Amino acid sequence: MQDLVAGMGIHKRSMYDTFGDKHTLYIKVIERFADVTAGKMEGRVEGVDSAKAAIRLLFGMIIHRTWRYFCIMRWSDCA
């Protein structure tokens, strides 16, 4: 929590006044992530001609993100 409020330049009290507790903050973060991710996925498949093509696009999106995460976590050059 300290790193979060320091990075945001706010006081810890402001965070607790806004979200109540760490659990509520965590739930809000997960909900936000789900909303943003769903929006990106919907935007990606909008206008695609077939379900098969939409599924391919979504799997490609997931594979790309997973590979990128792996590269970042392993500190390797995965270009």
Side-chain angles (χ1 to χ4, degrees):
M1 181 67 83
Q2 188 59 42
D3 290 342
L4 183 60
V5 295
M8 294 172 62
I10 64 172
H11 294 281
K12 198 183 278 190
R13 184 78 245 150
S14 297
M15 188 70 82
Y16 284 110
D17 287 345
T18 302
F19 294 102
D21 57 22
K22 290 178 185 175
H23 178 77
T24 303
L25 173 60
Y26 176 78
I27 296 300
K28 293 292 185 185
V29 167
I30 296 299
E31 288 172 350
R32 174 75 175 145
F33 176 79
D35 290 345
V36 168
T37 302
K40 287 180 181 179
M41 294 173 98
E42 289 169 7
R44 186 82 185 247
V45 298
E46 190 173 313
V48 173
D49 295 334
S50 70
K52 184 177 180 179
I55 291 168
R56 283 182 186 265
L57 280 172
L58 292 175
F59 274 118
M61 187 175 161
I62 292 166
I63 290 167
H64 175 74
R65 287 184 59 90
T66 302
W67 181 249
R68 218 173 78 209
Y69 176 77
F70 174 79
C71 292
I72 291 168
M73 295 308 293
R74 293 292 185 165
W75 303 102
S76 61
D77 183 20
C78 297

